[in-house]
Amino acid sequence: LSTTDGGQTFKIITPAVAVETILPLIRDQTQAVTPLSTVYNVLGIDAYHGQGTITWSSVATSGGEAFAFVKASEGTTFVDANFATNIAGAKSAGLAAGAYHFAHPVLNTATSEAQHFLSVAGSYIGSGYLPPALDIENSTEDPSSLGVTKLSQWILDWCNTVKQVSGVEPIIYSDRDYSRNYFNGSLSVLPYWVATDSGSAYGDPGSMGPWTTWEFQQYHFGVTGESIPGIAAPVDLDSFNGSLAALNALTTRGSSALPDLTVTAVTIPS
């Protein structure tokens, strides 16, 4: 920060450390700075082929949703038949969109599952998309049977493999039982998407094991019957723990190009 003309004109060069703070406001200039005391209202969904054909324009407008995670893959062979259509439709409708992978840690290695996910969703990771997500939950087998150390390492290995290829750090999705009892502190460096089914988009999840905060919350499970405009079948409902500008900033992860944030001059009236 330098000054000329008797303290009237300032030349401001944005420090590199301020890029993450200022970038969301530049990308969404209509978004006001949100005070810490403000309750956010940035809502979204996660969807898979079970929802059938989705009218994404209705989800974005009548439904008022701002983002969507859509299932891309599962295990080492399964590909969601609606993935490509869903992620393209969500993005075209103006939603921030990202892909997720349903894991089977008991059956497969983390590397083999990560490679399968990348082969399906690799083109939808990076600039323009939300970070990818890894879904850890019970299915035909119980991931918790691996124990805390092995399961936590499996998750880290999957995330590291995806990050090495894409340059983007994944998000971990799971419920509080897993985070409290089967995840160790090594996972706290990763963003957390907590499943609560609390019915409150910004309810306090309470203890989340290694995490003290959450990035996304699944506050309503689709199996309980919730539906929204554009989707005939029940669907999971989610919230983002931040402003709309902050959500949009997540889609810049992995981008190699940043806008010029240099302000050449600001003149302050006498």
Side-chain angles (χ1 to χ4, degrees):
L1 183 65
S2 61
T3 180
T4 59
D5 294 338
Q8 298 302 305
T9 302
F10 293 85
K11 184 177 181 181
I12 302 171
I13 306 297
T14 304
V17 294
V19 169
E20 298 245 352
T21 300
I22 296 175
L23 181 56
L25 300 180
I26 291 176
R27 292 192 181 279
D28 185 359
Q29 298 179 20
T30 64
Q31 180 71 21
V33 177
T34 305
L36 294 177
S37 60
T38 297
V39 176
Y40 299 117
N41 189 38
V42 182
L43 306 178
I45 64 169
D46 58 274
Y48 75 119
H49 63 275
Q51 272 82 43
T53 300
I54 297 175
T55 305
W56 286 102
S57 57
S58 296
V59 173
T61 53
S62 300
E65 310 301 326
F67 66 89
F69 283 99
V70 295
K71 185 175 182 178
S73 56
E74 180 174 338
T76 58
T77 58
F78 178 82
V79 177
D80 191 293
N82 290 9
F83 169 64
T85 300
N86 278 339
I87 198 163
K91 195 169 189 296
S92 295
L95 279 72
Y100 78 85
H101 173 80
F102 191 102
H104 289 275
V106 176
L107 303 179
N108 309 301
T109 66
T111 301
S112 63
E113 291 213 8
Q115 290 173 340
H116 174 55
F117 173 68
L118 288 166
S119 72
V120 176
S123 299
Y124 306 95
I125 304 174
S127 184
Y129 295 93
L130 290 172
L134 175 64
D135 181 350
I136 301 291
E137 59 179 286
N138 288 345
S139 55
T140 54
E141 74 286 345
D142 180 3
S144 67
S145 65
L146 292 177
V148 174
T149 301
K150 287 185 177 180
L151 179 57
S152 297
Q153 189 59 54
W154 194 100
I155 293 169
L156 282 177
D157 290 344
W158 189 95
C159 290
N160 287 336
T161 301
V162 170
K163 184 176 181 179
Q164 286 171 4
V165 173
S166 68
V168 182
E169 187 171 70
I171 298 166
I172 305 302
Y173 165 92
S174 196
D175 63 29
R176 290 167 293 181
D177 179 58
Y178 266 93
S179 65
R180 292 168 181 167
N181 300 303
Y182 304 108
F183 295 166
N184 65 28
S186 66
L187 300 180
S188 65
V189 298
L190 298 165
Y192 188 39
W193 176 7
V194 58
T196 64
D197 195 33
S198 67
S200 174
Y202 289 93
D204 182 359
S207 172
M208 298 179 290
W211 288 279
T212 58
T213 188
W214 52 275
E215 188 158 65
F216 292 91
Q217 180 174 172
Q218 188 183 76
Y219 67 92
H220 196 102
F221 297 165
V223 293
T224 57
E226 187 71 19
S227 61
I228 63 170
I231 305 179
V235 65
D236 296 331
L237 303 182
D238 303 278
S239 57
F240 172 65
N241 193 14
S243 67
L244 182 60
L247 175 75
N248 290 335
L250 290 183
T251 64
T252 67
R253 291 182 184 177
S255 174
S256 59
L258 290 174
D260 183 2
L261 299 183
T262 300
V263 181
T264 56
V266 178
T267 301
I268 301 177
S270 302

